[in-house]
Amino acid sequence: MNLSFFDQFMSPHLLGIPLILISLLFPALLLPSPRNRWITNRISALQSWFIYTITKQLMTPLNKKGHKWALILSSLMIFLLSINLLGLLPYTFTPTTQLSMNLALAFPLWLATLLTGLRNQPSASLGHLLPEGTPTPLIPALIMIETTSLLIRPLALGVRLTANLTAGHLLIQLISTATAVLFSIMPAISILTACVLLLLTILEVAVAMIQAYVFVLLLSLYLQENI
């Protein structure tokens, strides 16, 4: 029984071909096809407003040099948000529960922000490793601590997203299994458990949206330190 709970996190295969690629490309099918006009209906207007709000929220703390990242960060936000929400549907697979995928997204973008800072302002970027006014005996220890905290940033990004989504999916499966088992034994308890399941599902929708936003927001903050 314990092993079956984790089967939902295994990447599905068909004829030896991993279907995770289809899962990653599926959110693109939900976007409207290009037309001659910018806005053709209310859904397009809502999508345009949503993208504008996300981009404005992410780009406000950054200067003009950081606005070059607007397309990358906004696209990443919509991509993660779509995958997280689609993964809450029954009989679906959530690619963002895979730590390897989240690290593959976090590490290159974090490295790009770091290299941007080292190229444009190397003194300021390296200055983050040693706070001003540090006593001389503490300098080697602080440099090691700050370097370690800098290097584990992509790992923290990937683990945070993976752990939150995995925990939510496991809780939903555990409570739904309990609801199905108790329905024939104790119907009243089963109804109460179903109400808890409904509230937990609403909470997981909020978590899926928040985690996608936090992932991109932290990347924008890392970028802000290096520009």
Side-chain angles (χ1 to χ4, degrees), residues 102-131:
N102 295 334
L103 290 179
L105 290 174
F107 183 78
L109 293 173
W110 165 82
L111 184 61
T113 61
L114 182 62
L115 294 178
T116 300
L118 292 176
R119 185 189 65 178
N120 296 335
Q121 46 180 15
S123 300
S125 298
L126 295 177
H128 292 299
L129 301 179
L130 185 63

Side-chain angles (χ1 to χ4, degrees), residues 8 88 90 167-182 189-206:
Q8 59 177 318
L88 293 174
H169 283 66
L170 283 176
L171 281 175
I172 289 177
Q173 185 167 1
L174 284 170
I175 296 179
S176 61
T177 303
T179 303
V181 171
L182 293 174
I189 302 298
S190 177
I191 294 175
L192 180 61
T193 310
C195 294
V196 174
L197 178 61
L198 177 61
L199 295 177
L200 180 60
T201 303
I202 297 174
L203 176 63
E204 283 306 311
V205 171

Side-chain angles (χ1 to χ4, degrees), residues 121-175:
Q121 46 180 15
S123 300
S125 298
L126 295 177
H128 292 299
L129 301 179
L130 185 63
E132 186 178 357
T134 303
T136 303
L138 297 179
I139 288 178
L142 279 178
I143 290 178
M144 293 180 61
I145 293 173
E146 292 297 329
T147 303
T148 303
S149 65
L150 178 66
L151 295 178
I152 65 174
R153 282 180 174 181
L155 180 62
L157 280 176
V159 170
R160 181 187 295 107
L161 182 58
T162 303
N164 281 281
L165 295 180
T166 302
H169 283 66
L170 283 176
L171 281 175
I172 289 177
Q173 185 167 1
L174 284 170
I175 296 179

Side-chain angles (χ1 to χ4, degrees), residues 30-164:
L30 301 178
L31 298 177
S33 57
R35 304 287 181 86
N36 295 328
R37 293 181 292 176
W38 284 101
I39 298 177
T40 56
N41 50 40
R42 294 180 179 178
I43 296 179
S44 298
L46 182 62
Q47 289 177 337
S48 300
W49 170 83
F50 181 68
I51 295 172
Y52 169 77
T53 304
I54 291 175
T55 306
K56 182 180 179 181
Q57 186 71 23
L58 293 175
M59 294 297 109
T60 299
L62 303 178
N63 55 24
K64 290 185 178 180
K65 293 182 179 179
H67 293 176
K68 298 177 182 179
W69 290 66
L71 180 59
I72 297 176
L73 295 179
S74 300
S75 301
L76 180 63
M77 173 71 183
I78 296 172
F79 175 72
L80 291 177
L81 184 62
S82 302
I83 288 181
N84 292 349
L85 293 179
L86 290 173
L88 293 174
L89 298 176
Y91 302 104
T92 56
F93 173 70
T94 311
T96 45
T97 56
Q98 306 295 311
L99 181 60
S100 57
M101 174 187 163
N102 295 334
L103 290 179
L105 290 174
F107 183 78
L109 293 173
W110 165 82
L111 184 61
T113 61
L114 182 62
L115 294 178
T116 300
L118 292 176
R119 185 189 65 178
N120 296 335
Q121 46 180 15
S123 300
S125 298
L126 295 177
H128 292 299
L129 301 179
L130 185 63
E132 186 178 357
T134 303
T136 303
L138 297 179
I139 288 178
L142 279 178
I143 290 178
M144 293 180 61
I145 293 173
E146 292 297 329
T147 303
T148 303
S149 65
L150 178 66
L151 295 178
I152 65 174
R153 282 180 174 181
L155 180 62
L157 280 176
V159 170
R160 181 187 295 107
L161 182 58
T162 303
N164 281 281

